[in-house]
């Protein structure tokens, strides 16, 4: 057996009977549940940091999704603009050809009877060019 520890002539522990609250039969089968200990500051910060990283990842996912939408919209806008430019180029070509046809008709219909010999020669060469096309 252990030697008894004595303080001011009072034994500190009795080896035969235990007054420890852990050894008490009431504490083992107690219907009273202990209240949970409140969360400490470090744990609260850790929980908050955990939530913020989760929120950060959700925020990054949302930013990536919105960037994808923005890129898609920009691509559609560029495609639309290119289609408009192609249509404009076709229209210019058509109008240019129409203008050239009009000029060619005028050249072919030119009356050179009242013109000088040099001017007649110029219009004769122009008519030859028109007929060559």
């Amino acid at each position: 057996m252990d030697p008894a520890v004595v303080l001011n002539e009072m034994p500190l522990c009795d080896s035969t009977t235990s007054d420890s609250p852990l050894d008490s039969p009431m504490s083992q089968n107690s219907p009273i549940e202990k209240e949970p200990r409140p969360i400490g500051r470090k744990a609260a910060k850790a929980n908050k940091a955990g939530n913020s990283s989760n929120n950060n990842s959700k925020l990054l996912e949302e930013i990536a999704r919105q960037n994808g939408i923005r890129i898609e919209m920009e691509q559609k806008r560029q495609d639309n603009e290119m289609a408009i430019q192609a249509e404009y180029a076709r229209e210019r070509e058509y109008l240019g050809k129409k203008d050239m046809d009009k000029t060619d008709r005028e050249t072919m219909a030119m009356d050179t009877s009242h013109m000088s010999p040099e001017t007649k020669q110029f219009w004769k060469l122009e008519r030859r060019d028109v007929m060559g096309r």
Side-chain angles (χ1 to χ4, degrees), residues 65-80:
R65 186 184 68 79
Q66 287 179 359
N67 279 342
I69 291 170
R70 185 185 52 78
I71 290 169
E72 184 179 321
M73 289 175 65
E74 180 67 21
Q75 184 66 39
K76 285 180 182 177
R77 187 190 64 76
Q78 287 177 352
D79 291 346
N80 190 27

Side-chain angles (χ1 to χ4, degrees), residues 120-133:
K120 284 182 184 180
Q121 183 64 30
F122 170 77
W123 286 110
K124 186 177 180 181
L125 292 173
E126 285 292 311
R127 284 185 189 138
R128 189 181 310 156
D129 289 345
V130 168
M131 291 178 79
R133 283 188 245 143

Side-chain angles (χ1 to χ4, degrees), residues 22-46:
L22 297 175
D23 294 335
S24 129
M26 180 138 185
S27 68
Q28 292 174 358
N29 299 326
S30 173
I32 302 172
E33 293 185 23
K34 294 182 180 178
E35 290 185 31
R37 187 172 166 204
I39 192 165
R41 288 184 183 176
K42 280 187 177 181
K45 283 183 182 179

Side-chain angles (χ1 to χ4, degrees), residues 79-128:
D79 291 346
N80 190 27
E81 189 174 307
M82 287 177 66
I84 289 170
Q85 287 177 353
E87 181 65 29
Y88 181 68
R90 283 192 296 271
E91 186 71 22
R92 270 196 330 246
E93 183 180 338
Y94 170 76
L95 291 175
K97 187 175 182 183
K98 188 176 173 184
D99 240 8
M100 186 177 232
D101 289 345
K102 181 181 175 188
T103 305
D104 289 349
R105 281 193 304 276
E106 289 172 356
T107 301
M108 296 302 284
M110 182 71 65
D111 180 21
T112 60
S113 62
H114 63 282
M115 296 182 185
S116 68
E118 294 85 21
T119 309
K120 284 182 184 180
Q121 183 64 30
F122 170 77
W123 286 110
K124 186 177 180 181
L125 292 173
E126 285 292 311
R127 284 185 189 138
R128 189 181 310 156

